[in-house]
Amino acid sequence: KSLSSQSCGSSPLEALLSPEMSFQYPNAYRDEAVVDEYHGSKVPDPYSWLEDPDSEKTQAFVNAQNQLTLPFLEECPVREIFKDRMTELYDYPKYSCPFKRGNRYFHFYNTGLQNQSVLYVQENLDAEPSVFLDPNTFSDDGTVALRGYAFSEDGEYLAYGTSASGSDWVEISFLRVDGAVTLEDRLERVKFSCMSWTHDGKGLFYNAYLDQEGKSDGTETSTNLNQKLYYHVLGTPQSQDVLCAEFPEEPKWMSGAEVSDDGRYVLLSIREGCDPVNRLWYCDLNTLPNGIAGLLPWVKLIDNFDAEYEYVTNEGTVFTFKTNLDAPRYRLINVDFADPAPSQWKELIPQHDKDVIVFATCTHSTLLFVCYLHDVKNVLKMYQLASGEELKTFPLEVGSIVGFTGRKKDSEIFYYFTSFLSPAVIFHCDLTKDPLQPHVFREVTVKGFNPAEYQTTQVFYPSKDGTQIPMFIVHKKGLQLDGSHPAFLYGYGGFNISITPSYSVSRLIFVRHLGGVLAVANIRGGGEYGETWHKAGMLGNKQNCFTDFQCAAEYLIKEGYTSPKKLTINGGSNGGLLVAACVNQRPDLFGCAVAQVGVMDMLKFHKFTIGHAWTTDFGCSEIKEQFSWLIKYSPLHNIQIPEGEGVQYPAVLLLTGDHDDRVVPLHSLKYIATLQHIVGRWPGQSNPLFIYVDTKSGHGAGKPTTKVIQEVADTYAFIARCLDLSWIN
């Protein structure tokens, strides 16, 4: 079987644009005997064999797909130019906010193209920083990444997690900070874990799945259940770690422990899925005569999943929580552990009538810093902890706060601002000064890119039901709205996650060198306007996400930014589901679709790795009413030959990784097999329907710079070739 495309034009590009272009897709076996029954409905699953990642058949399928996709990408003239330009422009310094631990300052720094950012230490802010921990030494190719870290209270010890090939599995190691001495302690089978030291520095709380059967390298699909909370004593083997909390009756529960600012209490937050709700238990460490020696005597302060309670700080027994209890946009409340009846709870900062509280943190003993989201733009305010009185608003441009450091014992804060056109401004504010005057501590510019030539606009467009949806649009100044420009529309729409302005070199190259328009639609399902906005795009309302996104596309077309044949849609994870569902529902609306690590099989997602946690957003096919929602939009189950004269599927590129154990690759494999079988063999389909499965690659966290650059070069090369875009110098 030939796996190369059958092209016969004078150039690959011409061949692609001629109507007779079609592709010889790999012939994938269909097991017609596999039919699942859901509440009386029979649903075939002929590619269920692709759910076994280790079988020779699956690996042969992946290889055949990659052998079709890679030559196509390699023939794209834009691929190498884009990669070179990306390498050139991405080579700018990347810093985190400095943070103080003990009497030292730490910060992350990447000179530009290092695969992983490096942790530096300084004796004070004016001292020369020196390398403290360099994750680039963890592996030769940068695929072992730092995943989580925690310093002991006195700043003398560091626990840090590492993960290989993008997997969610973590191994925790330890350093003595003085001299950066590696200790022998190793904690394995750690996943979705907290890391919180007791203030005596003797050890830390963490989570693990020690009983999980089989391999755990990120290529397996087995479900993650019965997570437990342990306490590790420094200098002892993991086998002696103390089990502090387990939930044998509730295998889906996951917990995180946090030691209070004063070191006296350990707070346990328990979640059952991805909803912003949690139980809150606590233990007063002073009541343990023998220290942490077994299951802790938890006091169940909140023992339901009605709302979220996030610890901010405490003064003695009076605890401040950020909560969405009776407040979808969040508020701060005080709960006295000595008098904990809900009738005695006091409101400290009420819910705002429009803006959402993103985080609240206590610094300099008596001050609260509260970050709000106002129409998808961040606002930073300062309050008095004792009274809740508002003291100051910090001036910010239109954009996002993506970093904030400063703890209760610190007398200064740092915060990190970014936007579509500005990579980083880090501000420093000394809280002992009067008046308070934040100053620019560090500002990063990208050489060869002039932000003054571009503009960012925020528009509000109506969805089908009349709801106003915010969208950011970025393009070159003076753009003619004549419908001639390629556009790149991104969305997510789920899990209460807000998509705020962020800096992306690859998207700016698309705008600058491919004449593009970038659009980011803040569709429902996200957290942009609080829990109400989230609920309007989840469970039985999930279709609103897809409709909002399609209306964003129609707005861009109607206003003259682009036209359907020049419009690319993109999303990852839950956003990959978004892209695939929209392509199925409106193939006529888009010219190209790139779906990364998407959730494609909505009937079976809960069976693999951590998929069961997403039923809070999606529902579950095992429940009849929820099955009826899922079957209507599940990308895998709604692929059909498009209706209408001259309508075909847009060019489709799916991207996934062999070590993605968050959204396992079987979703993308089954989807592409079905898409190629139903649509790819139809004579009316000349646009390519491709997948690329990367190796030593996962869901995205910790991805090395070399892989990031290659992935965007492939993505935009595919877009440029399929939409016939030429490079503009």
Side-chain angles (χ1 to χ4, degrees), residues 61-291:
F61 176 84
V62 168
N63 290 337
Q65 294 292 344
N66 281 351
Q67 283 164 24
L68 181 62
T69 305
L70 273 173
F72 182 87
L73 295 175
E74 284 160 1
E75 287 161 19
C76 300
V78 161
R79 187 177 187 229
E80 285 308 312
I81 313 173
F82 197 105
K83 187 175 177 179
D84 290 346
R85 186 65 171 144
M86 177 73 184
T87 304
E88 183 187 353
L89 285 181
Y90 197 68
D91 191 7
Y92 65 89
K94 296 159 190 74
Y95 295 92
S96 75
C97 289
F99 55 93
K100 197 172 186 188
R101 291 295 182 269
N103 50 15
R104 303 176 184 89
Y105 286 90
F106 295 88
H107 67 270
F108 287 92
Y109 169 54
N110 188 316
T111 53
L113 294 173
Q114 289 175 281
N115 272 324
Q116 302 290 343
S117 290
V118 178
L119 184 58
Y120 286 77
V121 62
Q122 301 167 274
E123 293 307 313
N124 57 64
L125 289 175
D126 300 317
E128 188 64 31
S130 59
V131 172
F132 176 67
L133 180 66
D134 182 359
N136 296 292
T137 63
F138 297 169
S139 66
D140 292 338
D141 57 5
T143 55
V144 176
L146 183 67
R147 183 82 72 97
Y149 61 91
F151 284 88
S152 60
E153 185 62 18
D154 62 6
E156 292 305 320
Y157 291 93
L158 170 68
Y160 67 93
T162 55
S163 74
S165 302
S167 165
D168 278 329
W169 287 109
V170 168
E171 181 176 310
I172 298 178
S173 304
F174 293 81
L175 287 179
R176 187 160 72 242
V177 172
D178 191 19
V181 179
T182 303
L183 305 179
E184 283 181 12
D185 304 55
R186 284 281 180 286
L187 308 179
E188 293 176 346
R189 288 200 181 254
V190 175
K191 200 183 218 191
F192 311 126
S193 180
C194 65
M195 280 190 231
S196 188
W197 291 80
T198 48
H199 282 204
D200 58 13
K202 285 188 176 152
L204 94 165
F205 294 101
Y206 73 98
N207 302 90
Y209 294 87
L210 292 185
D211 315 327
Q212 173 128 348
E213 294 291 308
K215 62 176 182 174
S216 54
D217 63 4
T219 61
E220 79 289 344
T221 63
S222 41
T223 187
N224 303 134
L225 295 169
N226 296 301
Q227 189 199 59
K228 296 178 184 181
L229 177 77
Y230 297 90
Y231 182 72
H232 173 73
V233 177
L234 207 54
T236 64
Q238 185 177 15
S239 57
Q240 290 175 22
D241 287 357
V242 180
L243 176 64
C244 294
E246 62 175 345
F247 318 102
E249 308 301 305
E250 299 289 348
K252 289 174 64 168
W253 284 14
M254 298 165 74
S255 68
E258 182 175 9
V259 176
S260 60
D261 289 341
D262 57 10
R264 176 168 176 178
Y265 300 88
V266 54
L267 298 151
L268 187 72
S269 173
I270 301 168
R271 296 179 186 267
E272 190 175 38
C274 295
D275 258 2
V277 298
N278 62 287
R279 289 169 192 246
L280 198 98
W281 300 357
Y282 73 86
C283 174
D284 180 346
L285 295 173
N286 287 1
T287 62
L288 304 177
N290 305 320

Side-chain angles (χ1 to χ4, degrees), residues 493-641:
F495 297 92
N496 196 38
I497 290 169
S498 302
I499 306 298
T500 61
S502 63
Y503 190 79
S504 163
V505 173
S506 58
R507 291 174 182 176
L508 290 174
I509 294 174
F510 170 75
V511 171
R512 165 73 182 80
H513 292 289
L514 294 170
V517 172
L518 166 66
V520 176
N522 296 103
I523 58 178
R524 286 174 286 185
E528 284 85 352
Y529 293 100
E531 191 51 16
T532 317
W533 198 249
H534 175 213
K535 285 186 167 146
M538 65 185 235
L539 300 177
N541 297 325
K542 186 67 183 170
Q543 180 59 40
N544 283 342
C545 307
F546 313 139
T547 306
D548 289 356
F549 201 54
Q550 292 158 31
C551 288
E554 289 177 326
Y555 175 90
L556 292 171
I557 294 159
K558 175 169 107 341
E559 296 297 322
Y561 287 101
T562 190
S563 58
K565 294 252 184 297
K566 289 190 176 271
L567 175 58
T568 297
I569 53 171
N570 169 245
S573 197
N574 169 72
L577 156 65
L578 169 73
V579 166
C582 287
V583 163
N584 283 342
Q585 293 176 10
R586 289 293 307 274
D588 58 299
L589 197 50
F590 319 108
C592 185
V594 181
Q596 292 155 279
V597 295
V599 186
M600 304 301 192
D601 184 344
M602 299 310 295
L603 302 185
K604 292 173 89 169
F605 70 84
H606 60 286
K607 295 176 181 288
F608 308 107
T609 62
I610 196 60
H612 60 78
W614 318 330
T615 56
T616 51
D617 238 61
F618 296 145
C620 179
S621 62
E622 290 167 23
I623 296 165
K624 188 175 184 182
E625 182 198 14
Q626 301 184 354
F627 167 77
S628 71
W629 309 332
L630 294 164
I631 192 68
K632 286 190 184 76
Y633 71 79
S634 175
L636 179 65
H637 302 95
N638 288 278
I639 296 170
Q640 54 201 10
I641 290 173

Side-chain angles (χ1 to χ4, degrees), residues 6-77:
Q6 301 167 325
S7 60
C8 47
S10 58
S11 79
L13 208 61
E14 267 179 60
L16 183 77
L17 297 168
S18 65
E20 61 274 10
M21 181 74 172
S22 63
F23 299 90
Q24 193 64 51
Y25 294 108
N27 200 8
Y29 168 67
R30 288 175 64 81
D31 188 345
E32 306 289 358
V34 181
V35 179
D36 299 314
E37 189 162 321
Y38 297 89
H39 318 286
S41 298
K42 289 187 160 44
V43 181
D45 194 4
Y47 298 114
S48 59
W49 56 271
L50 284 168
E51 290 168 13
D52 177 2
D54 300 322
S55 77
E56 284 181 17
K57 284 193 300 183
T58 300
Q59 289 171 359
F61 176 84
V62 168
N63 290 337
Q65 294 292 344
N66 281 351
Q67 283 164 24
L68 181 62
T69 305
L70 273 173
F72 182 87
L73 295 175
E74 284 160 1
E75 287 161 19
C76 300

